[in-house]
Amino acid sequence: MSRFQATEALLAAMARQHPQFPPQASAIVRMVKLLHKLTQDQGNELLRRYGLTYPEYNALMMLSASSDGVLSPSQLGDAIAEKSANITRLTTQLVDKQLIERAPSAQDRRMWRLRLTPKGQALIASFMPEISAQLAGYASALDAGEQAQLLSLLKRLLAGVEQSA
């Protein structure tokens, strides 16, 4: 029995008690939440060996992926879906670990620019094989077409959530 079957049974009972309650929509939201929790817990377990938390990993990956290797704190916050107060704390942690550097923008001294340090780049290179294997393992039950279809459906779900806000 999957850990989600009990949830589905309770959602069906809720729908019987409250006919307007959408059990399938609720199951989708709860499944996304469960997937998030499991992947974050497993990611944190892997990343702990590298001295990182999952939010720190996300920040490093987005900085690494940026076209010029530089992001502003607000761009980073948007990329990893974190609030500005969390970005300040997170970037301070990464600066303290010497994984990123923070410098004033040449165009506007009031703005900060964030960049990976060589130590940060080396750390990414060291954990990338394990992270890649973990991510591939998560999706291994789906073929490439199913993965593309699921991603498309999740994007549509996100659009619905954003429109409902």
Side-chain angles (χ1 to χ4, degrees):
M1 177 164 139
S2 98
R3 73 172 68 198
F4 199 68
Q5 284 177 319
T7 299
E8 287 179 306
L10 291 169
L11 293 175
M14 179 67 71
R16 287 190 297 277
Q17 292 173 9
H18 305 279
Q20 75 279 13
F21 181 77
Q24 198 163 21
S26 182
I28 291 167
V29 170
R30 289 174 187 271
M31 177 64 77
V32 169
K33 181 181 178 190
L34 177 60
L35 287 167
H36 176 264
K37 181 188 179 332
L38 292 173
T39 57
Q40 191 162 21
D41 288 352
Q42 292 172 14
N44 275 325
E45 185 178 324
L46 187 157
L47 294 164
R48 193 173 303 119
R49 296 192 296 268
Y50 296 92
L52 293 174
T53 65
Y54 204 77
E56 290 171 334
Y57 153 79
N58 280 332
L60 292 175
M61 295 301 288
M62 292 302 104
L63 282 166
S64 179
S66 67
S67 61
D68 60 356
V70 175
L71 291 175
S72 70
S74 64
Q75 289 171 318
L76 181 61
D78 289 345
I80 65 173
E82 289 284 347
K83 295 178 182 173
S84 64
N86 291 343
I87 289 298
T88 300
R89 178 188 47 77
L90 185 60
T91 57
T92 297
Q93 290 169 335
L94 292 170
V95 167
D96 290 348
K97 292 179 180 184
Q98 301 175 344
L99 299 174
I100 68 169
E101 57 189 18
R102 188 172 29 206
S105 167
Q107 291 80 20
D108 184 346
R109 305 285 294 166
R110 296 169 297 170
M111 283 186 53
W112 289 100
R113 307 303 286 164
L114 306 169
R115 178 188 309 275
L116 283 173
T117 63
K119 182 178 177 181
Q121 293 169 346
L123 183 62
I124 290 172
S126 71
F127 66 61
M128 190 55 71
E130 280 187 89
I131 288 290
S132 296
Q134 186 178 60
L135 291 171
Y138 291 160
S140 66
L142 305 172
D143 65 33
E146 291 168 326
Q147 289 178 35
Q149 182 181 17
L150 178 58
L151 181 58
S152 175
L153 292 171
L154 288 171
K155 286 178 181 178
R156 288 173 47 198
L157 179 63
L158 176 61
V161 170
E162 290 175 337
Q163 288 173 1
S164 295

